[in-house]
Amino acid sequence: MAATGASGTNAVRYGTVRDNVLNLEVVLPGGELLHTAGQGRHFRKSAAGYNLTGLFVGSEGTLGLITAATLRLHPVPEATVAATCAFPSVQAAVDTTVNILQAAVPVARIEFLDEVMIDACNRHSNLNCTVAPTLFLEFHGSKQALAEQLQRAEEITQYNGALNFSWAKEAEERNQLWAARHNAWYAALALRPGCKGYATDVCVPISRLPEILVQTKEDLQASGLTGTMVGHVGDGNFHCVLVVDPEDAEELRRAEAFAYQLGRRALALHGTCTGEHGIGLGKRKLLQEEVGAVGIEIMRQLKATLDPRGLMNPSKVL
Amino acid sequence: MAATGASGTNAVRYGTVRDNVLNLEVVLPGGELLHTAGQGRHFRKSAAGYNLTGLFVGSEGTLGLITAATLRLHPVPEATVAATCAFPSVQAAVDTTVNILQAAVPVARIEFLDEVMIDACNRHSNLNCTVAPTLFLEFHGSKQALAEQLQRAEEITQYNGALNFSWAKEAEERNQLWAARHNAWYAALALRPGCKGYATDVCVPISRLPEILVQTKEDLQASGLTGTMVGHVGDGNFHCVLVVDPEDAEELRRAEAFAYQLGRRALALHGTCTGEHGIGLGKRKLLQEEVGAVGIEIMRQLKATLDPRGLMNPSKVL
């Protein structure tokens, strides 16, 4: 996770891995052991020299091998409530997300699933959700603070024409909900047994999220591809999970073209081609568009300096 | 602020500058213009390539010249209440800080001032605070959430033997309080007209904050120096403001020795020699102790790569 700069459903409240790594132990290409913040150090903030921790988080193993990480911890919340909410349209679900964030409701999780994804989760994980664009939410805090957060969130969902708003107060029910969310990938794959998954990962400013989600939904329907939409919409980040026949070269090309077009659309909206999965091999061209020639040149110089013989995860990222 | 990786009273809730910079425009030593996250980009998270934004924040102008910054914004809170609380000892004030954070009270500001600092602020800024170790606090949220936060914080202060707990609900009273806090440097200087200020800036894990603050208070009293203590204790960060006669070389040496010893004490407690002011010239030796030989070598390589002719803020940091 640290090597990829990963995140997940809790990032909207608690930050990504990047925000929660205080120190890394890294084996450098020459064999030296680096402690990015100094050996044994763990503090909430520092202004001491260059931010080596931040440089190695998300470097995808291309600068050194991470062998230990010191993480920031957050208090376990006093109380937790989850909720699901179905909407008449993708637009209404995403407008709700933007409104909740703008109203400063300190939501702990806010996840979008389109109706194809919900249908797949219902079947794969024995849920009984309305088949419609849906938000899964979670709230953390004191009991009193939770009641207020829930009330505000529910008001916003009603304002946006929600079809229902259903609480999951018991731990068992909550766990079932989040297990279903975390198994969404496998639920999508089960739509076409024997086929392979292909995930996109764009992230845009929250204000641009409604337009890209609505447009992407239309593109996905027009593409003829089998695919679901699911995402950490509180961060402006979402995935299309395309389910592709690996024997069908034409379909695979169509999936790649769809993913590339989506990446370029995110870039046009001031976004990034990858919110949490990284560049790897597949997004090297999009990275060039994203950061520009000067940015790529600086990244190449950093790579050449720290790994002059090109030993670490060769040809990834750059 | 971006060049120094600075922060301030709000960092405990909203993060430092590092957490709130989304993109930087930087003029590189060769004259090229770098947009660290790509031109015009602003998103809450990304996993696209090396984190150039994080590398330039806090680089103290030694890698390039920052000419524009894209910042993350936070919603203005619905309601705000400040409070002051005097304690019978430094230990009690700092224990309260640790307890409030551990209880997950989402405090927006929590600042410590020792009795010398409070006395100086009373005189310089016309405050009327009890002359004792004191916390200045601020809470942000909905009215209902505020009431609960205040109640929990007050209970914790009482548990730690607070002498009083006084709310400042009106904006005018709050502004006076924070103006006094922000003028603390000048209040300290006014203790010895004609003398100069000399600030320390260590930061340690919150769990080690009580012992270093109590020890430093004793050291300060034993040193014979004129000095106050003030700090962003919610981050584990505090300053001694020493007021030194610039004509007295022996006193200046004593102040430097005190500051160096404090830096080493923070390092021994897994902390950093600088929470928010940076290394500059004065802390280069402490930086070496803090990050170790391998860390310093990597920093030197980064500097040599990005500024091969050593044009940018020469001899600072390294």
Side-chain angles (χ1 to χ4, degrees):
Chain A
M1 289 191 68
T4 321
S7 55
T9 59
N10 283 295
V12 63
R13 171 78 173 263
Y14 300 100
T16 68
V17 159
R18 193 178 294 288
D19 304 306
N20 288 288
V21 171
L22 302 180
N23 202 347
L24 290 173
E25 181 189 85
V26 179
V27 179
L28 296 172
E32 310 92 335
L33 200 61
L34 169 69
H35 297 270
T36 53
Q39 190 162 9
R41 309 211 170 281
H42 55 105
F43 29 67
R44 282 170 68 109
K45 69 181 191 188
S46 172
Y50 305 146
N51 180 7
L52 301 183
T53 306
L55 182 60
F56 279 87
V57 172
S59 62
E60 300 188 36
T62 62
L63 303 179
L65 188 67
I66 297 171
T67 48
T70 306
L71 301 179
R72 183 168 171 183
L73 300 180
H74 296 271
V76 174
E78 180 183 324
T80 300
V81 176
T84 60
C85 187
F87 291 89
S89 66
V90 171
Q91 179 90 43
V94 189
D95 285 348
T96 297
T97 305
V98 174
N99 295 161
I100 285 176
L101 292 172
Q102 286 177 341
V105 178
V107 64
R109 292 169 157 174
I110 182 163
E111 296 284 311
F112 169 76
L113 302 87
D114 77 351
E115 76 283 2
V116 186
M117 189 75 255
I118 282 288
D119 191 33
C121 287
N122 278 344
R123 288 191 245 172
H124 186 73
S125 299
N126 286 317
L127 293 186
N128 192 23
C129 290
T130 306
V131 177
T134 298
L135 292 178
F136 283 9
L137 301 106
E138 192 165 277
F139 303 91
H140 295 171
S142 68
K143 281 175 192 168
Q144 192 181 318
L146 274 197
E148 191 184 27
Q149 288 181 40
L150 273 166
Q151 188 200 333
R152 294 195 174 199
E154 188 169 0
E155 278 167 15
I156 292 170
T157 64
Q158 283 167 356
Y159 173 80
N160 286 297
L163 304 175
N164 58 44
F165 186 86
S166 164
W167 301 15
K169 283 188 184 170
E170 299 308 321
E172 193 178 349
E173 200 182 347
R174 273 206 324 272
N175 291 343
Q176 193 195 5
L177 198 64
W178 292 113
R181 169 61 189 88
H182 289 128
N183 286 321
W185 171 260
Y186 302 101
L189 290 186
L191 291 173
R192 283 181 84 186
C195 289
K196 290 203 166 172
Y198 188 107
T200 70
D201 177 40
V202 300
C203 180
V204 297
I206 299 291
S207 59
R208 312 309 289 269
L209 188 61
E211 70 189 271
I212 195 171
L213 264 176
V214 169
Q215 183 66 55
T216 301
K217 180 75 187 166
E218 288 172 16
D219 290 352
L220 188 54
Q221 283 166 337
S223 72
L225 293 162
T226 299
T228 67
M229 290 174 72
V230 58
H232 315 304
V233 282
D235 295 326
N237 180 213
F238 69 95
H239 312 295
C240 295
V241 182
L242 307 175
V243 192
V244 182
D245 180 354
E247 306 293 314
D248 186 339
E250 186 279 327
E251 188 179 315
L252 189 60
R253 269 196 304 275
R254 229 170 345 128
E256 287 170 347
F258 174 87
Y260 184 69
Q261 189 199 347
L262 177 53
R264 297 207 62 193
R265 191 188 301 284
L267 295 182
L269 295 174
H270 309 287
T272 173
C273 66
T274 175
E276 57 183 15
H277 294 172
I279 297 297
L281 294 171
K283 289 184 181 159
R284 291 175 298 180
K285 196 172 162 196
L286 284 166
L287 178 64
Q288 292 178 22
E289 288 188 47
E290 181 165 335
V291 301
V294 176
I296 288 286
E297 175 55 25
I298 296 295
M299 290 185 192
R300 279 195 210 285
Q301 289 180 14
L302 295 176
K303 168 72 174 175
T305 300
L306 296 179
D307 182 24
R309 297 173 62 197
L311 300 173
M312 308 305 294
N313 211 0
S315 47
K316 302 289 166 49
V317 181
L318 293 167
Chain B
M1 289 190 70
T4 321
S7 54
T9 59
N10 282 295
V12 64
R13 171 77 172 264
Y14 299 101
T16 68
V17 159
R18 195 179 292 291
D19 304 306
N20 288 288
V21 171
L22 301 180
N23 203 346
L24 290 173
E25 181 190 84
V26 179
V27 179
L28 296 173
E32 310 92 335
L33 200 62
L34 169 68
H35 298 271
T36 53
Q39 191 163 7
R41 309 213 169 280
H42 55 106
F43 30 66
R44 282 170 67 110
K45 70 181 191 188
S46 173
Y50 305 146
N51 181 7
L52 301 183
T53 306
L55 181 60
F56 280 86
V57 172
S59 62
E60 300 189 36
T62 62
L63 303 179
L65 188 68
I66 297 170
T67 46
T70 306
L71 302 178
R72 183 168 171 183
L73 300 179
H74 296 272
V76 174
E78 180 183 323
T80 300
V81 176
T84 61
C85 188
F87 292 87
S89 66
V90 172
Q91 178 90 44
V94 189
D95 285 348
T96 297
T97 305
V98 174
N99 294 160
I100 285 176
L101 291 172
Q102 285 177 341
V105 177
V107 64
R109 291 170 157 174
I110 183 162
E111 296 284 312
F112 169 76
L113 301 87
D114 76 352
E115 76 283 4
V116 185
M117 189 75 255
I118 282 288
D119 191 31
C121 287
N122 278 344
R123 289 191 244 171
H124 186 74
S125 299
N126 286 317
L127 291 186
N128 191 23
C129 289
T130 306
V131 177
T134 297
L135 292 178
F136 283 8
L137 302 105
E138 192 166 277
F139 304 90
H140 295 172
S142 69
K143 282 175 190 168
Q144 192 181 316
L146 274 196
E148 190 184 28
Q149 289 181 41
L150 273 165
Q151 188 200 331
R152 293 193 174 200
E154 188 169 359
E155 278 167 16
I156 292 169
T157 63
Q158 284 166 356
Y159 172 80
N160 286 297
L163 304 175
N164 56 43
F165 186 85
S166 162
W167 299 15
K169 283 188 184 172
E170 299 309 319
E172 194 178 347
E173 200 182 348
R174 275 207 322 274
N175 291 343
Q176 193 196 5
L177 199 64
W178 293 113
R181 169 62 189 88
H182 289 128
N183 286 321
W185 171 260
Y186 302 102
L189 290 187
L191 292 173
R192 283 180 83 188
C195 289
K196 290 202 166 172
Y198 188 107
T200 69
D201 177 41
V202 300
C203 180
V204 297
I206 299 290
S207 59
R208 311 310 288 270
L209 189 61
E211 71 189 270
I212 194 170
L213 264 177
V214 168
Q215 183 65 56
T216 301
K217 181 74 186 166
E218 288 173 16
D219 289 352
L220 188 54
Q221 283 165 339
S223 72
L225 293 162
T226 300
T228 67
M229 292 174 71
V230 59
H232 315 305
V233 282
D235 295 325
N237 180 212
F238 69 95
H239 313 294
C240 297
V241 182
L242 308 175
V243 192
V244 182
D245 180 353
E247 306 292 315
D248 186 338
E250 186 279 325
E251 188 178 316
L252 190 59
R253 269 195 304 276
R254 231 172 341 129
E256 286 170 348
F258 175 87
Y260 184 70
Q261 188 198 348
L262 177 53
R264 298 206 62 194
R265 191 188 301 282
L267 294 182
L269 296 173
H270 309 288
T272 173
C273 66
T274 175
E276 56 183 15
H277 294 172
I279 296 298
L281 294 171
K283 289 183 182 160
R284 290 176 298 177
K285 195 172 162 198
L286 285 165
L287 178 65
Q288 292 178 21
E289 288 189 46
E290 180 164 334
V291 300
V294 176
I296 287 287
E297 175 55 25
I298 296 295
M299 289 185 192
R300 280 195 208 286
Q301 289 179 13
L302 294 176
K303 168 72 173 174
T305 300
L306 296 179
D307 182 24
R309 296 173 63 197
L311 300 174
M312 307 306 293
N313 210 0
S315 48
K316 301 289 166 48
V317 181
L318 293 169

